Amino acid sequence: MPIAVVTTTVEQPDSSFKKRFTERTTPPPELPPFFYADRFDKAHFGDWRDELATKGYTVVKAIPTEKALEYRERAFQWMESFALGFDRNDVKTWKNEHLPVHIKGGMFHGYGFYDISQLWDIRCEDGVIDAFAKVWGTDELITSFDGGSIMLPNRVDVMDSGKWEHMDQSHYRRGFYCCQGLVNLNNNGPDDGGLMVLEGSSKLVEEYFDTHGRNSYKSWGPFDWFGFTEEQQQWFFDRGCKWVKVCAEPGDLILWDSRTMHYNVRPKGDRDRVCTYICMAPAHLLTEEDRQLRVECFEQSKGTTHVPFAAIYARDFEPVKRSDGSPCPHDTGKPKNPPVLNDKIAKLVGIKHY
């Protein structure tokens, strides 16, 4: 069902991302019952999935530490591959003018970043796939075409764009719908930036919207996204929810229920934050229409939002813009180092059936 967009744009502190939030109203769509909706209603697994069910998030070791740090090295090599003057060993070059265009201090969405070989290598890691297989109860999975973050510490040229607390699930949905993930590629302590989660919020979101209604919301585009105001968050605080900074080691996979309210923070200490975002879900949830859309996105190196199997939101290519408003000449929409298509990638995309 189409969503009616009210023309008033919500003003935000920066001009790159949050200004695109719009206030939306829509009648309740007719959403069919979801096969896995009750999967995390109770903690009955006897392993880390119980924490996912009760707290809304958990941390799982997915990649050996040394290999994760190698992925971090490749991330810095990617940034240095642009003729912009960035040198990881020279803090004077840790500025926008020497870096590929990004948002929120280090989240990349241009340059075909979603499709670089490093991200596909991480998606194909057995430990990553095995964790999502345990989440869903099947190893026949497809993956989102998510990006990643490379956040440098002690930067002084990044405008604070606010926290943008949100969940990546429509407030019209009921029950479990998607498990989000990020693979952490560096030591990530309390001051190193990273993921903030509102612990326990996944258990309360339906009650909140049953109480307060579902008629309007803020989104930057996707159907499966809801931004929360401070006033709305207070309702969750009053019921015992608290913000938690999730700490992790290199190679850890942080998983969270998409009903969990969350946002990220930049490093406050001296250590960089490097991670890759990944969501996987059962391949059988794909319609043929969405499968074809995913194949098209893969072929054109387009990124998608987190949910891999439905309401897929992918923007047409448009070069990212430098600080002076000009298109970045380095952004062709294609990755410098594309993946080599193999059987595992073909199945994770949906090109090849299980």
Side-chain angles (χ1 to χ4, degrees), residues 85-208:
F86 171 70
D87 180 352
R88 76 183 82 179
N89 298 313
D90 184 358
V91 295
K92 295 191 298 295
T93 68
W94 295 8
K95 299 177 181 179
N96 286 322
E97 62 187 282
H98 298 299
L99 293 166
V101 176
H102 52 276
I103 61 173
K104 297 187 71 66
M107 297 178 69
F108 292 92
H109 64 284
Y111 312 96
F113 186 74
Y114 308 102
D115 200 31
I116 62 175
S117 61
Q118 172 180 334
L119 266 62
W120 277 106
D121 289 345
I122 295 173
R123 293 166 187 151
C124 289
E125 286 282 351
D126 289 340
V128 173
I129 294 174
D130 290 347
F132 279 103
K134 293 192 74 172
V135 167
W136 293 99
T138 177
D139 59 1
E140 296 184 352
L141 301 168
I142 52 172
T143 184
S144 61
F145 306 153
D146 269 313
S149 290
I150 309 169
M151 295 183 173
L152 302 171
N154 302 314
R155 289 186 60 184
V156 296
D157 64 336
V158 179
M159 183 179 292
D160 186 3
S161 59
K163 296 184 291 186
W164 62 301
E165 304 93 322
H166 67 282
M167 67 175 184
D168 291 284
Q169 181 162 319
S170 170
H171 58 315
Y172 290 119
R173 299 195 189 280
R174 292 185 177 274
F176 173 72
Y177 188 67
C178 180
C179 181
Q180 294 175 242
L182 72 81
V183 178
N184 186 60
L185 302 176
N186 197 10
N187 288 294
N188 190 251
D191 296 325
D192 299 327
L195 181 69
M196 298 287 298
V197 297
L198 188 61
E199 186 175 299
S201 58
S202 62
K203 289 293 187 183
L204 295 172
V205 290
E206 290 177 28
E207 180 185 346
Y208 174 83

Side-chain angles (χ1 to χ4, degrees), residues 51 57-60 182 184 186-197 244-250 252-255 265 271 273:
E51 188 171 59
Y57 72 98
T58 191
V59 181
V60 183
L182 72 81
N184 186 60
N186 197 10
N187 288 294
N188 190 251
D191 296 325
D192 299 327
L195 181 69
M196 298 287 298
V197 297
V244 175
K245 163 62 176 66
V246 185
C247 297
E249 298 177 351
D252 283 351
L253 171 63
I254 304 174
L255 296 168
V265 292
R271 189 153 45 203
R273 181 204 181 203

